[in-house]
Amino acid sequence: MKDLLRLRTSLTEEIEALLNEQIKMEARSSSIYLSMSSWCDRNGFDNSAKYLEKQSGEERGHMLKLFRFVNDMGGKAISPEITDIPQEFDSFKGVFELALQQEINVTASFNRIADRCFKAKDFMTFQFLQWFLNEQIEEEYVARRILELFEVIGEEGTGRWQIDKNIPGVSYGE
Ligand code: FEO
């Protein structure tokens, strides 16, 4: 039965599995951003906490976009199990260093999936992925600009307070 159903979709098992891994990665990103938000809140960085909570919501949105696509294409979207989310971070700057690294990892993962889609001639999924690749330009940009605040403002004295105050204003394309 599974094979017959499989014949009725253009989504290959390989691409479906890769998309399900990406669903998990986005869910994990969402959870990590939320734990970063909690850490910032507990340590007095209220603006960063709000920014990271919003980011967590965006990652959940990314997860759902992928999730719906897999089912819409006749595949089986898997609700991911997420464990081992770090709850403590070394420093305020460390939170944003990790955020940038996380975004770079997500970009690399989408590039890998796009490459597989291209090789498998799955141009529907390839086209669907373009939205995420565009989104990554913005996400990496913002993460880099936030880290620049640490260099430009400096962390001494009221520096961290100033950095926290400036974080909500960092945006792409304005
Ligand atoms: Fe969904 Fe920030 O990548």
Side-chain angles (χ1 to χ4, degrees), residues 71-90:
N71 278 346
D72 286 351
M73 288 292 292
K76 180 179 171 183
I78 308 289
S79 178
E81 265 181 55
I82 307 296
T83 53
D84 300 327
I85 298 299
Q87 304 296 334
E88 300 298 334
F89 301 91
D90 291 340

Side-chain angles (χ1 to χ4, degrees), residues 22 25-26 29 33 55 58-60 62-63 102-103 106-107 110 131-132 135-136 139:
Q22 192 61 36
M25 194 172 195
E26 300 290 335
S29 290
Y33 275 125
Q55 199 59 33
E58 283 192 18
E59 299 303 343
R60 180 172 164 79
H62 298 168
M63 179 198 80
Q102 186 166 275
E103 292 305 336
V106 167
T107 303
F110 274 119
W131 184 90
F132 292 92
E135 182 78 3
Q136 285 311 114
E139 303 232 316

Side-chain angles (χ1 to χ4, degrees), residues 1-159:
M1 188 62 182
K2 186 169 181 291
D3 288 347
L4 280 175
L5 283 172
R6 174 60 52 188
L7 284 175
R8 293 191 208 121
T9 171
S10 310
L11 193 64
T12 65
E13 288 192 34
E14 183 207 1
I15 303 297
E16 180 181 333
L18 288 172
L19 291 173
N20 270 316
E21 280 172 30
Q22 192 61 36
I23 285 168
K24 188 166 185 166
M25 194 172 195
E26 300 290 335
R28 187 169 175 78
S29 290
S30 178
S31 292
I32 293 177
Y33 275 125
L34 201 58
S35 73
M36 288 172 168
S37 172
S38 175
W39 186 91
C40 284
D41 203 351
R42 298 195 310 272
N43 285 277
F45 304 116
D46 292 15
N47 293 303
S48 301
K50 284 196 197 86
Y51 164 79
L52 290 161
E53 185 186 311
K54 186 169 141 279
Q55 199 59 33
S56 170
E58 283 192 18
E59 299 303 343
R60 180 172 164 79
H62 298 168
M63 179 198 80
L64 290 173
K65 203 175 173 80
L66 288 156
F67 192 87
R68 291 188 195 112
F69 177 81
V70 171
N71 278 346
D72 286 351
M73 288 292 292
K76 180 179 171 183
I78 308 289
S79 178
E81 265 181 55
I82 307 296
T83 53
D84 300 327
I85 298 299
Q87 304 296 334
E88 300 298 334
F89 301 91
D90 291 340
S91 65
F92 186 35
K93 188 180 180 187
V95 165
F96 289 98
E97 282 171 339
L98 186 61
L100 175 59
Q101 190 54 54
Q102 186 166 275
E103 292 305 336
I104 289 171
N105 294 345
V106 167
T107 303
S109 183
F110 274 119
N111 278 336
R112 258 195 312 274
I113 304 173
D115 180 59
R116 287 311 307 154
C117 288
F118 198 78
K119 289 193 172 116
K121 295 189 166 38
D122 178 352
F123 296 116
M124 277 191 285
T125 307
F126 183 76
Q127 169 133 320
F128 169 73
L129 293 176
Q130 304 312 302
W131 184 90
F132 292 92
L133 288 166
N134 269 324
E135 182 78 3
Q136 285 311 114
I137 297 172
E138 177 178 338
E139 303 232 316
E140 280 195 28
Y141 175 88
V142 170
R144 270 193 303 275
R145 290 304 306 271
I146 288 175
L147 271 183
E148 277 170 21
L149 292 176
F150 286 83
E151 304 309 321
V152 173
I153 297 173
E155 294 188 68
E156 299 308 311
T158 58

